[in-house]
Amino acid sequence: MHRYLVLGTNMGTGIAHALLQQEDTIYITLVDRSSTALNTAVNRLLDWRLGARVIDIKHTRQIADLIEQHDVTIGAMSYEANLALTHACIEAGKHFVDLGGNNTVVRKQLMLDQTAIGSGSKIVPDNGIAPGAASVLVHRGLQIIDEEGEIDSVEIRVGGLAQSGPEGPLNYSQLFAIKGLTNEYIEPTLVIRDGRLQTVDTMENVESIDFPEPYGRLEAAYTSGGLSTMPETLIGRVRNLDYKTLRYPGHWQKMQLLRDMGFLDEHHLITTGHGQVVLPRDFTEALLNARLPKTRDDALLLRITVRHGEKLVTMQLIDVADKETGLTAMQRTTGFSAAIVAMMLARGTIKQTGVMKLKESIPTRRFIQEWSKLGLHLEITRNF
C-alpha cells in the first residue's frame, strides 16, 4: 500500500488520476502554490484518498517534511526544481520521478548516482511522453527488430496539437508551460548520425509527415530534450537516431524568425527606449503566455519508426482530450507515463537503486500494458 507526493497540478492532475486507479494507492498529497489550481484538481478527481496542500516549492523545509511521509515523490513542475528535489529525496532515502525536459539538469542528477545508491533511493528523471515513454518504446522497438549489431535508424516524432487545427499567430496553442516550450526550442540537441554523436541546432531540418485526418500533413523539426540520454546509451547500437517535434505547417518558419531576431536570447540584456533592461527570452515568454491561444481540446501524436535493412517496426499513438475526466491529451500521456514509473518504484518492480536512465530500468512490455489499462492504446506494426 503506497503513498505518493505529487508536486504541481498541471500535469500532476493526470498523474494523480492514474495513481487513483490503483487499488494499492492509499493516499496522494497534491501540492501547488495556487489554491485555485488545487481546488480545480481536487474537484475534478473527487477521491477521498486525495489531499491538497498549498505550498510554494521554494519552502524547502515543508517539502522535505512531506517527502519523508511518502513512498514516492513525483515532480510535475518546472525542470528548474528537479535537482533540489533529487537531493531532498536522496537525503530522505525516498524515491523520485520527474518530468525532466532539460538535458543540463538531468546530467547533474545522473552525477548523484552513487549517493543515491548509498541512501537506497531510486531516482528516475525524464518521465513524461518525450522525454520518457518515447525512450521505453524505442527500447521495445529494438527488442522486436531483434538483430545483433548496429541498427540502421530510429526516428521519433511527437507533438501536442489543438484538435481544431492551427490557431493564433504562431499556428500553435499553448498546451503546457511556456518555459518548457522555449527550452525545447533553444537548447542544442544531440543526435546520432552515421554512427557518431552530433550536436544539431533546434528548429532546423524541417520535414513533412502525414497523419490520419483531421491532422493531415504536419511539419517536424529538431527540438531539445525529447531524446534525453538516448544518444549516449544507444551509440554503437543505432547508426542514426533523432527526435523531432510535430507542429501544424508554418509554425517552425515563424519561430525561426523570432529566434533569428533575438527574441529567444537568454544571454544578453537589452535596454528599451524607456530605459528598462530586459532579457529577450523572459520578455518573449511573457508575451507568449499572454497571447497564445489556450485549449483543453488537444491531441497527442506519436510515431516511432525502427528500421534495419528491410525490417521496419512502427509504433503509433494518437490520444485526445477526455471529455469524461476533463483531462487533456497532454495530461493523460505525460501524466500517465510518469505515474506508471512511480508505481513501479513503489511496488519494487524496478529493483536497482541509484539515478537511472529510462531505457535501462523500465520493463518495456509491462509499461505498455499499464498504458493500455489506463486507456492509452499503442499501435505496433511490423513488415516481417
Side-chain angles (χ1 to χ4, degrees):
M1 308 303 281
H2 311 298
R3 296 176 179 268
Y4 299 94
L5 174 62
V6 181
L7 304 174
T9 55
N10 189 5
M11 294 303 141
T13 303
I15 294 168
H17 173 88
L19 294 173
L20 289 169
Q21 309 310 304
Q22 315 305 313
E23 293 183 356
D24 59 355
T25 296
I26 59 172
Y27 198 75
I28 298 171
T29 301
L30 186 59
V31 173
D32 201 286
R33 65 182 179 183
S34 167
S35 59
T36 301
L38 277 172
N39 288 335
T40 299
V42 170
N43 290 335
R44 177 166 287 136
L45 295 168
L46 289 177
D47 194 296
W48 64 268
R49 295 171 294 167
L50 179 67
R53 294 284 302 274
V54 180
I55 304 175
D56 191 316
I57 189 67
K58 294 177 182 177
H59 295 163
T60 54
R61 186 64 264 165
Q62 289 177 281
I63 296 298
D65 289 343
L66 285 175
I67 288 172
E68 292 271 7
Q69 299 166 26
H70 297 78
D71 302 308
V72 183
T73 296
I74 305 105
M77 48 185 55
S78 171
Y79 62 79
E80 294 170 311
N82 289 339
L83 185 59
L85 290 171
T86 299
H87 278 288
C89 288
I90 291 174
E91 185 175 338
K94 298 289 185 175
H95 309 320
F96 179 60
V97 173
D98 68 51
L99 302 183
N102 182 281
N103 294 335
T104 301
V105 172
V106 173
R107 284 180 172 82
K108 290 179 179 178
Q109 290 173 286
L110 290 169
M111 292 173 65
L112 298 173
D113 179 50
Q114 290 302 313
T115 308
I117 291 173
S119 75
S121 294
K122 301 175 183 179
I123 311 293
V124 191
D126 270 351
N127 291 274
I129 184 69
S135 301
V136 180
L137 300 183
V138 165
H139 191 41
R140 180 63 192 140
L142 295 175
Q143 291 172 337
I144 294 171
I145 287 283
D146 191 28
E147 291 282 349
E148 297 294 333
E150 197 173 55
I151 300 299
D152 290 341
S153 70
V154 174
E155 296 178 349
I156 307 167
R157 307 291 183 259
V158 183
L161 302 169
Q163 292 185 53
S164 56
E167 296 183 10
L170 297 179
N171 294 3
Y172 178 74
S173 298
Q174 182 181 345
L175 303 178
F176 63 102
I178 287 296
K179 193 166 191 66
L181 179 73
T182 56
N183 179 74
E184 292 180 1
Y185 285 8
I186 64 176
E187 190 179 40
T189 188
L190 197 63
V191 302
I192 302 175
R193 186 174 289 170
D194 295 327
R196 293 179 293 181
L197 293 174
Q198 182 172 335
T199 300
V200 297
D201 291 331
T202 51
M203 297 197 286
E204 297 297 338
N205 199 12
V206 177
E207 67 180 48
S208 296
I209 182 169
D210 293 321
F211 273 82
E213 293 298 334
Y215 310 104
R217 178 154 293 184
L218 303 174
E219 291 181 342
Y222 292 137
T223 56
S224 175
L227 285 177
S228 185
T229 56
M230 273 195 284
E232 294 96 332
T233 56
L234 290 182
I235 188 72
R237 178 74 175 111
V238 175
R239 183 163 180 77
N240 294 284
L241 167 72
D242 67 22
Y243 172 91
K244 294 183 179 181
T245 293
L246 299 164
R247 293 288 184 256
Y248 286 117
H251 174 77
W252 294 117
Q253 183 181 22
K254 296 178 179 184
M255 289 304 305
Q256 288 167 355
L257 174 62
L258 290 181
R259 176 199 61 196
D260 294 344
M261 289 291 293
F263 282 86
L264 298 176
D265 188 336
E266 59 179 345
H267 301 295
H268 304 95
L269 293 169
I270 61 171
T271 303
T272 69
H274 298 287
Q276 295 174 311
V277 179
V278 297
L279 192 64
R281 180 182 176 182
D282 290 345
F283 170 77
T284 302
E285 287 174 348
L287 276 180
L288 292 176
N289 197 51
R291 301 294 178 86
L292 281 183
K294 297 177 176 64
T295 181
R296 295 192 65 83
D297 292 325
D298 65 337
L300 190 288
L301 286 70
L302 173 148
R303 182 180 295 163
I304 295 173
T305 56
V306 183
R307 303 174 188 271
H308 187 68
E310 298 298 318
K311 288 185 174 183
L312 172 65
V313 174
T314 302
M315 290 171 277
Q316 180 167 293
L317 172 74
I318 299 177
D319 192 65
V320 298
D322 186 337
K323 302 291 186 182
E324 183 177 345
T325 63
L327 295 176
T328 66
M330 192 67 71
Q331 286 174 320
R332 285 167 51 81
T333 53
T334 300
F336 292 4
S337 299
I340 290 168
V341 176
M343 290 186 292
M344 289 181 174
L345 291 177
R347 294 168 178 169
T349 306
I350 299 171
K351 304 297 184 186
Q352 72 186 87
T353 57
V355 185
M356 292 169 264
K357 299 174 183 176
L358 269 179
K359 186 186 79 67
E360 300 172 345
S361 57
I362 306 300
T364 59
R365 291 186 182 182
R366 177 73 175 274
F367 183 91
I368 294 169
Q369 289 169 357
E370 295 292 346
W371 245 22
S372 181
K373 291 177 186 177
L374 290 166
L376 300 179
H377 302 298
L378 181 72
E379 297 179 7
I380 302 178
T381 59
R382 63 174 86 180
N383 68 349
F384 59 94

